[in-house]
Amino acid sequence: MPADVALLKEVPLFAALDDEERALLATQLEEVRVDAGQKVFSRGDPGGAIYIISSGEVQLSVEDTTGHLIVFETARRGDFFGELSLLDGDPRSADARAIQDTCALKVDRGDLEQLFRRHPSSAMDVLTAIGRRLREADQLLRTRPTLSPNQTVEERLTTIQRLADGLSAFSGTFTFLFLHAVWFAVWMAINLGWVRTVHPFDPFPFGLLTMVVSLEAIFLSCFVLISQSRQAAKDRIRSDVEYDANIRAGMEVTHLHTKVDHLYEQTMARLAALERGAQDGRRLGSPGPPV
């Protein structure tokens, strides 16, 4: 369906066109409608066009290596997106998802080339948008907090692993020791006949108690081993994080050393120049040989 000429007039990118040029461009553009929650395009899709929003909102985002969503920009009426893939020919570098019912104009490479030929200043608008998004992406990557090793491990926990951690932590407390001491004392008191109101059910040498305690020790040891394996994985992640931090710190130190060496060379060159100037001045001002 062709785009509306009045709609093109409201888009800042086409504001410099006259009515005849907008009418010609409207016959070439395609109007695209996307429901809220649907994607206009996904990361990795071929980039054959840019989109100019006439109504609605589109969120431009990308998922990092940990699965977290990084939102670059929310494009609204009059904004355009998808220009990077159209210019360099590479696949889409981000996801574009409509967060409202959206109507957009689809501009392909031929339409864009025609627009640039007639109005070269419109190319600066596209370059300005690319530069702004690159700066925003750089700022997000600089300021985005990184997860600690403990948070990274906690996100991967299963129900069994959480249960193992809880049991391992509880088995190492005085409460666990006190409960077992009370349990053993009551069990032996009942089965030795010290409690007249309860009939003994596990007489000496307490075979049932021995079996129950053995089973408890087996299951508890398994849970402790699971928890220890998780702790070992956490230690490995912590080591990797510390290694990356050391690498970055070493690079920063090397960069600082390079700067200091450069400043040292400049300072020494200036001192040498001053010294040569002083020597030349003394030679010019010194008295000549006696006649």
Side-chain angles (χ1 to χ4, degrees):
M1 145 178 211
D4 188 2
V5 178
L7 179 61
L8 293 179
K9 192 173 182 179
E10 299 178 9
V11 177
L13 188 60
F14 303 133
L17 301 179
D18 56 30
D19 293 338
E20 182 180 355
E21 291 171 336
R22 275 192 290 267
L24 177 61
L25 187 61
T27 61
Q28 300 174 353
L29 301 186
E30 178 184 356
E31 192 172 10
V32 179
R33 297 184 181 274
V34 183
D35 296 332
Q38 293 184 347
K39 286 187 177 181
V40 182
F41 55 76
S42 300
R43 183 180 183 183
D45 290 348
I50 67 173
Y51 295 86
I52 302 172
I53 297 181
S54 56
S55 64
E57 295 183 357
V58 173
Q59 186 182 76
L60 304 177
S61 62
V62 65
E63 285 190 0
D64 61 8
T65 54
T66 61
H68 290 81
L69 191 68
I70 302 177
V71 178
F72 292 137
E73 184 182 2
T74 300
R76 297 177 175 84
R77 180 180 179 86
D79 296 333
F80 57 90
F81 59 92
E83 70 285 348
L84 188 59
S85 296
L86 180 63
L87 294 177
D88 60 14
D90 290 340
R92 301 289 186 184
S93 58
D95 297 329
R97 183 187 299 274
I99 55 180
Q100 296 179 2
D101 291 342
T102 301
C103 178
L105 303 178
K106 186 176 180 181
V107 186
D108 59 20
R109 182 182 292 270
D111 301 329
L112 200 63
E113 289 176 352
Q114 181 179 357
L115 176 64
F116 289 168
R117 281 196 302 267
R118 296 191 178 188
H119 294 279
S121 60
S122 61
M124 292 302 300
D125 296 334
V126 177
L127 293 176
T128 300
I130 294 176
R132 183 180 70 250
R133 290 187 182 125
L134 288 177
R135 287 184 180 274
E136 291 174 354
D138 182 69
Q139 184 67 21
L140 284 173
L141 293 176
R142 287 178 179 272
T143 59
R144 184 172 176 268
T146 56
L147 294 177
S148 68
N150 292 333
Q151 291 174 324
T152 303
V153 174
E154 289 296 329
E155 291 182 351
R156 305 174 183 175
L157 285 182
T158 63
T159 304
I160 297 298
Q161 290 174 332
R162 294 182 186 277
L163 178 61
D165 288 346
L167 290 176
S168 298
F170 179 66
S171 63
T173 62
F174 282 105
T175 303
F176 180 83
L177 179 63
F178 177 75
L179 289 176
H180 277 70
V182 173
W183 173 32
F184 293 156
V186 171
W187 187 291
M188 289 186 292
I190 292 175
N191 289 282
L192 289 175
W194 296 349
V195 180
R196 301 295 183 181
T197 56
V198 180
H199 182 73
F201 57 89
D202 184 26
F204 185 82
F206 314 118
L208 179 60
L209 177 62
T210 303
M211 184 185 67
V212 171
V213 172
S214 299
L215 291 176
E216 180 191 22
I218 292 173
F219 284 105
L220 188 59
S221 61
C222 291
F223 283 120
V224 170
L225 290 175
I226 294 174
S227 181
Q228 289 178 349
S229 298
R230 279 203 54 254
Q231 184 63 40
K234 185 186 296 185
D235 292 338
R236 285 194 298 270
I237 294 176
R238 184 179 293 109
S239 299
D240 293 340
V241 172
E242 291 176 352
Y243 175 77
D244 292 339
N246 291 334
I247 292 296
R248 289 194 297 268
M251 293 177 63
E252 291 293 334
V253 171
T254 303
H255 186 58
L256 289 176
H257 275 298
T258 303
K259 285 185 175 180
V260 171
D261 292 341
H262 182 64
L263 290 175
Y264 177 77
E265 291 176 358
Q266 288 183 337
T267 303
M268 295 304 296
R270 291 180 181 179
L271 289 177
L274 291 174
E275 186 176 356
R276 286 194 301 270
Q279 291 176 356
D280 294 341
R282 285 196 297 270
R283 284 197 301 267
L284 292 175
S286 61
V291 180

